[in-house]
Amino acid sequence: MHTNQPHDALDRDALLFTMLLPALIRYRDSLDRDVPEITAAIALLRIMDARRE
């Protein structure tokens, strides 16, 4: 089976930045307390998103 790696990377990016990041932000905002690991993951995803543009 042949996979098109650049296309797979685009699909992965689309999932990360259009689905996972907003869901993670909503989850963090729904919590009663700050969870530093979640905030750090959101910051890392935002940095990755900014670098890909």
Side-chain angles (χ1 to χ4, degrees), residues 24-51:
L24 195 56
I25 292 168
R26 283 191 305 273
Y27 175 68
R28 181 202 57 193
D29 292 346
S30 74
L31 298 175
D32 292 335
R33 63 180 186 88
D34 182 42
V35 179
E37 295 85 359
I38 294 174
T39 302
I42 290 169
L44 179 60
L45 286 171
R46 285 181 170 156
I47 290 168
M48 291 170 61
D49 189 27
R51 287 187 176 182

